Amino acid sequence: MNDIDVFVIDDDFDPLADLELVEDGEGQETDYLPPIPDADKSVVPEAVELPAGERIERLLAGIPGQQFRILSAVELCSEPKTITETAEAMDAAYPNCTSVYSSQQIIMLLERAGALERVAAEADEASENAAASADVSPEEDFITVVPAAPVRVVATRAGLDAVETRVGERVVRAMLEEEPLYLPLYQTILEQCAAEGGCATKDLDALIDVDPLCVEPRRFCGYFRGRLEGVGALVWRDAWNVTDLGAKVLASDIFNH
Amino acid sequence: MSYEQEIDFATVLRGRMATYQFLSRLFGVEVDQKLYDTLLEMRFPTNTGNSLVDEGYRLMCSYLSKADGPVLTELAVDYVRAFIGSGNDGFSAAYPYESVYTSPKRLMMQDARDEVLVLYHAADLDKKDSWKDGEDHIALELEFCQILTERALEAVEAADEERAAKYLLQQRNFLEDHLLAWYPMMAADLEKFPRTDFYRGLGKLTSGFLQNDLDFLNEVLTDTEKAADIEEATDTEEATEIEVA
């Protein structure tokens, strides 16, 4: 083979021949296909309704930072109240709330979870009134919206049970009694936070982190503060403040032993 | 056309324009406080002669009369449930796009969108920058009909019957080729997906109104065509007489 033969261009050479590529328009489908074929023919199974207790549990677990605010709505509705009244009372109790859920939305979520229910007689009456306003005689040419009478809501047994399990002096005491060793630290935190204007985080840390009780096992102030907040004894309002419940526990005899 | 008839015709056009605007707004975005206040003050007709329209208005009115608490939130949630859905199989909501119902794989931004875009451009219209959806969204198609009606109304008020007929014809073609070619399928989905009577009612109301509107346009345009034929025939006869003389 001479040099000229080496550089002869082979017109039949196809660099992609070995790859066995499929010609356009035949073979594999490269367009988008719906991920679920024949989805329009699929049968959606019936939703399984969970018991109210479990639904409330899930609601609170889903918004853990707001659980006392949510449960306050149930407490407020131990007697029947209109949705507006309840929402106003919640807003007054939690004026600096940073939640994305408005009080009315919380009430709606509680109703869906089975912690609140509409007062039956009034709900029926309201529905009847609404239906009556929409059922007009053929002679009338127009119908107008007749706003429904405000419906009142009341706490259900499951809702009240949820409050009892999570809120109250008994719950705080049970938490404190789990770790009697740290009672003096809890007492100090509550006392500091009971002061006018509350207590700043760094001041609490400075006080608790150096305590000999925190050395072994090593604990920090955040641990105790978090537990007190979790049972509703402390609340953050630009500083750590003791709640009414916390003040009640502080005044009780639990720290005297 | 007598003066009294002209007044009536203009009033009918104004009514159609308002209804298109109303429907377009309801399909476009969720109900806000301003619209909700308007709805509470509205009078809903009950004897329009179209059972779907009557049923639609009745359902919407009945929902608003029963609603209590955070109505706007409930309606916003139902809007998402009805028009957006949560699945990716193409069958999880009443998707408000013509392309979804006219393309084999139920995809957005298909041929239908290109077709309506050409029509909008031909009518010197373009979407606002704030509109981020496809141009074949039902809200835009309804708004297009509203604009054509508005132009027809202006022509009627200017006593320009030819221009008015042109806009009405354009609208009838758009209804036949686009809105009524696919909306009935969306209307069937609108009976399945919403949970409030408000959006179920909207589905029925739109179905009934579009059908009514096509009947109206057919009637008006047939009359106009007949009148044009008569005028043409008269002109021909006069021309023949002149030639004979």
Side-chain angles (χ1 to χ4, degrees):
Chain A
M1 185 183 289
N2 60 35
D3 289 348
I4 294 169
D5 289 339
V6 171
F7 292 106
V8 166
I9 297 169
D10 179 5
D11 284 339
D12 297 331
F13 174 69
D14 179 4
L16 303 176
D18 293 340
L19 298 177
E20 295 176 358
L21 293 176
V22 180
E23 290 290 318
D24 284 347
E26 63 178 58
Q28 68 194 61
E29 176 67 71
T30 52
D31 273 356
Y32 168 82
L33 283 174
I36 306 171
D38 295 333
D40 57 327
K41 297 179 189 109
S42 65
V43 178
V44 180
E46 282 289 311
V48 178
E49 184 86 338
L50 294 173
E54 204 170 326
R55 279 182 282 149
I56 297 168
E57 189 87 30
R58 286 182 179 210
L59 173 65
L60 295 172
I63 320 173
Q66 298 289 319
Q67 67 164 324
F68 292 106
R69 179 166 165 251
I70 294 172
L71 290 171
S72 77
V74 182
E75 277 182 295
L76 285 165
C77 292
S78 51
E79 295 295 320
K81 277 195 177 64
T82 64
I83 293 175
T84 315
E85 283 170 357
T86 314
E88 280 172 3
M90 282 175 73
D91 290 341
Y94 293 88
N96 299 322
C97 179
T98 52
S99 172
V100 294
Y101 294 99
S102 69
S103 298
Q104 288 211 335
Q105 285 171 323
I106 294 277
I107 294 165
M108 200 166 80
L109 291 172
L110 282 167
E111 195 184 340
R112 199 184 299 165
L116 297 178
E117 63 185 359
R118 294 182 179 223
V119 177
E122 289 183 7
D124 290 348
E125 198 180 318
S127 301
E128 277 170 23
N129 287 344
S133 69
D135 290 339
V136 290
S137 62
E139 297 83 49
E140 289 180 50
D141 286 335
F142 294 96
I143 48 174
T144 51
V145 176
V146 182
V151 176
R152 295 196 296 168
V153 286
V154 67
T156 61
R157 187 64 259 161
L160 292 172
D161 286 347
V163 173
E164 208 178 315
T165 319
R166 287 175 180 78
V167 187
E169 197 178 332
R170 187 183 52 76
V171 180
V172 184
R173 290 180 78 104
M175 186 277 287
L176 294 174
E177 281 162 3
E178 281 173 19
E179 298 174 321
L181 173 70
Y182 296 125
L183 277 176
L185 297 183
Y186 285 117
Q187 186 178 8
T188 309
I189 293 172
L190 287 173
E191 282 171 353
Q192 291 297 316
C193 296
E196 183 76 27
C199 187
T201 306
K202 63 176 181 182
D203 295 341
L204 277 180
D205 289 347
L207 206 61
I208 302 297
D209 288 351
V210 294
D211 194 286
L213 284 172
C214 294
V215 175
E216 188 59 42
R218 189 71 177 110
R219 296 260 194 238
F220 292 94
C221 184
Y223 170 77
F224 307 105
R225 210 167 43 219
R227 283 171 66 86
L228 284 170
E229 189 191 9
V231 292
L234 278 190
V235 67
W236 173 260
R237 286 178 190 141
D238 298 329
W240 289 104
N241 284 272
V242 73
T243 61
D244 291 346
L245 178 63
K248 213 158 118 184
V249 173
L250 186 61
S252 72
D253 59 350
I254 188 166
F255 296 114
N256 296 340
H257 297 299
Chain B
M1 199 179 279
S2 71
Y3 177 74
E4 198 175 323
Q5 277 173 324
E6 276 178 28
I7 293 288
D8 285 343
F9 190 60
T11 311
V12 171
L13 289 184
R14 270 188 213 103
R16 292 175 60 240
M17 199 173 79
T19 311
Y20 272 121
Q21 190 177 16
F22 175 65
L23 295 177
S24 168
R25 169 63 187 83
L26 287 175
F27 279 110
V29 284
E30 299 91 331
V31 176
D32 58 12
Q33 188 63 49
K34 191 178 165 195
L35 177 61
Y36 180 66
D37 293 340
T38 310
L39 287 167
L40 292 186
E41 287 168 10
M42 259 178 72
R43 296 196 310 154
F44 296 85
T46 55
N47 292 312
T48 58
N50 183 310
S51 59
L52 278 173
V53 174
D54 292 349
E55 175 70 0
Y57 278 133
R58 197 190 62 76
L59 283 172
M60 291 171 82
C61 186
S62 141
Y63 168 79
L64 293 168
S65 296
K66 281 182 209 165
D68 186 43
V71 186
L72 295 184
T73 307
E74 192 176 50
L75 285 175
V77 169
D78 208 41
Y79 180 91
V80 174
R81 197 181 283 127
F83 302 121
I84 297 170
S86 56
N88 61 353
D89 55 13
F91 294 93
S92 301
Y95 303 104
Y97 303 95
E98 181 173 348
S99 288
V100 172
Y101 288 94
T102 53
S103 64
K105 288 173 187 166
R106 293 174 72 84
L107 299 178
M108 290 167 63
M109 307 297 259
Q110 301 298 296
D111 293 348
R113 177 255 178 186
D114 299 341
E115 285 172 22
V116 295
L117 194 57
V118 167
L119 293 174
Y120 297 161
H121 286 167
D124 292 332
L125 295 169
D126 208 347
K127 69 169 186 176
K128 285 183 187 169
D129 289 339
S130 57
W131 183 267
K132 304 292 182 199
D133 273 329
E135 289 84 351
D136 57 343
H137 193 287
I138 187 167
L140 291 200
E141 294 200 357
L142 290 166
E143 195 177 342
F144 182 58
C145 283
Q146 176 211 326
I147 291 168
L148 291 180
T149 312
E150 196 176 345
R151 290 179 180 178
L153 177 63
E154 282 167 9
V156 167
E157 284 172 345
D160 187 346
E161 286 190 15
E162 198 177 327
R163 197 155 56 94
K166 189 189 96 181
Y167 286 126
L168 293 176
L169 181 64
Q170 201 177 344
Q171 198 181 340
R172 182 178 70 177
N173 293 343
F174 187 75
L175 269 179
E176 282 178 342
D177 296 345
H178 291 280
L179 270 171
L180 278 169
W182 70 277
Y183 180 74
M185 290 181 274
M186 183 188 166
D189 281 345
L190 263 179
E191 291 189 11
K192 280 192 282 180
F193 292 105
R195 284 197 200 153
T196 64
D197 278 348
F198 187 82
Y199 283 109
R200 283 198 201 104
L202 176 62
K204 286 178 188 293
L205 168 62
T206 310
S207 277
F209 173 72
L210 291 179
Q211 193 53 55
N212 260 3
D213 205 46
L214 181 68
D215 294 344
F216 166 78
L217 289 170
N218 279 335
E219 199 176 316
V220 170
L221 289 169
T222 311
D223 289 349
T224 313
E225 280 159 15
K226 274 182 192 167
D229 288 346
I230 292 168
E231 202 173 315
E232 199 178 325
T234 317
D235 288 348
T236 317
E237 275 173 26
E238 279 173 8
T240 317
E241 280 169 16
I242 291 166
E243 273 178 24
V244 170

